[in-house]
Amino acid sequence: MCRMIAPHSPSPSPVPASARPVRKAVVPAAGLGTRFLPATKATPKEMLPVVDKPAIQYVVEEAAKAGLDDILMVTGRHKRAIEDHFDHAFELEQALAAKGDTVRLDAVRDPARLADIHHIRQGDPLGLGHAVLCARHHVGDQPFAVLLGDDLIDARETLLSRMLDVRDRYQGSVVALMEVDPSQVHLYGCAAVEATGEDGVVRVTGLVEKPAQEHAPSNYAVIGRYVLDPRVFDVLERTAPGRGGEIQLTDALQELAAGGTVHGVVFDGLRYDTGDKGDYLRTVVRLACERPDLGPEFTAWLREFVAALPEEEGAGREESRAA
Ligand code: UTP
């Protein structure tokens, strides 16, 4: 069952009004985060810091940048931290204001100013499809975006805007696809595709959740960005639990794809899966190196650190070396 939580008073959005029909984004963040235990025992994985902001803030910033100014977070147990992060923190703000620390004051206020943020609880983590279904009442009969709360697309990329543009032109639903090594396909939803004649846009003819390599229809993996037609809700209502006993969004999209109404935008840019320990480490190191305030000192230290790694020990530390 999904329970609505009253939103805090809407903050003025810096996002200019747009003519686009897609104005709402749903951010599912109610998963158990088992890959990141024990850190995620009492903290949602979406709140793990990536340098100095929680992962989910990058996701909300991406939605706001694409003009989506109404965001519904689907949260679960222990997700109070997400709700608090996107709300005002009066005591903290007062203390920083009294000190005249305007830089930190802005950093504390920014999350609540990004968009009009709402929350709903997914009582039990019955799967991503169920989390999306929880958004039905809030979304209504309009197309909407879904951004997974632990899946980061680099801020320099324009993936979501491209997907919204493809929805405008083709209607139906749009998924983001990334070519992965065939050995990795079992970790993702996987798409069968055919060409549209447009560079970087494909028609999705079938979808299968986490297939074995030998059964995968391609090496196009579905990554955590979707623009969905509201028809998906009717399909999700009758979607039975699938792989892992969860109600899978992929299974509902498979039905829509069979009807010829799903397109894919092929993405070959920078993406960070912060729900995976190795990718999380690489993301933090990469983004820290690129930060003007931290990068120069941190990069200098990193160079020394890597140079001092003993060869045999370094060979066993793939994650640190790849970062
Ligand atoms: P994941 O499969 O990555 O999330 O779901 P998980 O189950 O939390 O992760 P692991 O595998 O156990 O570590 C993708 C997204 O869907 C959300 C998650 O929070 C994540 O953002 N999700 C998943 C829900 O909101 N509800 C669910 O029931 C399942």
Side-chain angles (χ1 to χ4, degrees), residues 279-298:
D279 225 9
Y280 173 83
L281 292 172
R282 286 185 279 275
T283 305
V284 172
V285 172
R286 180 194 278 268
L287 296 189
C289 286
E290 290 175 354
R291 277 271 295 260
D293 55 339
L294 299 168
E297 202 184 323
F298 182 65

Side-chain angles (χ1 to χ4, degrees), residues 28-35 45-46 122 125-128 131 148-150:
L32 292 177
T34 55
R35 281 172 296 159
K45 66 176 168 178
E46 293 81 2
Q122 183 190 17
L126 300 179
L128 177 58
L148 300 193
D150 60 341

Side-chain angles (χ1 to χ4, degrees), residues 173-255:
S173 297
V174 185
V175 296
L177 300 174
M178 207 162 177
E179 281 194 82
V180 297
D181 189 89
S183 66
Q184 298 299 297
V185 98
H186 69 281
L187 300 171
Y188 297 90
C190 179
V193 302
E194 52 186 41
T196 57
E198 181 177 344
D199 206 22
V201 181
V202 292
R203 185 171 302 103
V204 176
T205 56
L207 284 157
V208 50
E209 182 65 16
K210 297 190 171 82
Q213 186 176 337
E214 59 276 21
H215 297 130
S218 73
N219 61 338
Y220 281 111
V222 179
I223 58 170
R225 298 293 177 273
Y226 308 81
V227 178
L228 300 179
D229 190 87
R231 282 180 52 213
V232 76
F233 292 126
D234 284 339
V235 181
L236 281 168
E237 287 279 9
R238 57 172 190 273
T239 299
R243 208 188 148 86
E246 296 190 345
I247 298 172
Q248 299 287 355
L249 180 59
T250 306
D251 293 344
L253 290 175
Q254 156 59 23
E255 187 174 323

Side-chain angles (χ1 to χ4, degrees), residues 54-260:
I56 197 169
Q57 186 173 335
Y58 293 85
V59 172
V60 172
E61 287 170 353
E62 180 193 343
K65 194 172 132 201
L68 307 177
D69 52 11
D70 180 307
I71 297 178
L72 178 70
M73 310 272 180
V74 184
T75 58
R77 266 177 342 125
H78 308 314
K79 302 289 175 148
R80 190 80 225 172
I82 296 178
E83 292 152 15
D84 288 345
H85 185 73
F86 290 98
D87 203 348
H88 293 286
F90 293 107
E91 269 182 17
L92 190 53
E93 288 177 31
Q94 269 176 357
L96 292 168
K99 281 190 198 166
D101 191 341
T102 52
V103 173
R104 290 196 178 92
L105 185 58
D106 275 344
V108 165
R109 286 180 172 161
D110 280 348
R113 292 168 171 162
L114 284 169
D116 188 2
I117 295 179
H118 308 260
H119 303 274
I120 191 167
R121 289 241 180 193
Q122 183 190 17
D124 290 313
L126 300 179
L128 177 58
H130 179 258
V132 171
L133 186 55
C134 286
R136 180 172 206 164
H137 179 70
H138 182 85
V139 167
D141 197 24
Q142 294 295 320
F144 63 104
V146 173
L147 296 86
L148 300 193
D150 60 341
D151 203 343
L152 269 53
I153 300 295
D154 193 280
R156 292 159 288 199
E157 306 286 356
T158 55
L159 172 64
L160 190 55
S161 296
R162 281 171 59 209
M163 295 175 72
L164 292 167
D165 175 57
V166 167
R167 155 72 204 191
D168 282 350
R169 290 184 293 111
Y170 291 86
Q171 300 298 294
S173 297
V174 185
V175 296
L177 300 174
M178 207 162 177
E179 281 194 82
V180 297
D181 189 89
S183 66
Q184 298 299 297
V185 98
H186 69 281
L187 300 171
Y188 297 90
C190 179
V193 302
E194 52 186 41
T196 57
E198 181 177 344
D199 206 22
V201 181
V202 292
R203 185 171 302 103
V204 176
T205 56
L207 284 157
V208 50
E209 182 65 16
K210 297 190 171 82
Q213 186 176 337
E214 59 276 21
H215 297 130
S218 73
N219 61 338
Y220 281 111
V222 179
I223 58 170
R225 298 293 177 273
Y226 308 81
V227 178
L228 300 179
D229 190 87
R231 282 180 52 213
V232 76
F233 292 126
D234 284 339
V235 181
L236 281 168
E237 287 279 9
R238 57 172 190 273
T239 299
R243 208 188 148 86
E246 296 190 345
I247 298 172
Q248 299 287 355
L249 180 59
T250 306
D251 293 344
L253 290 175
Q254 156 59 23
E255 187 174 323
L256 296 178

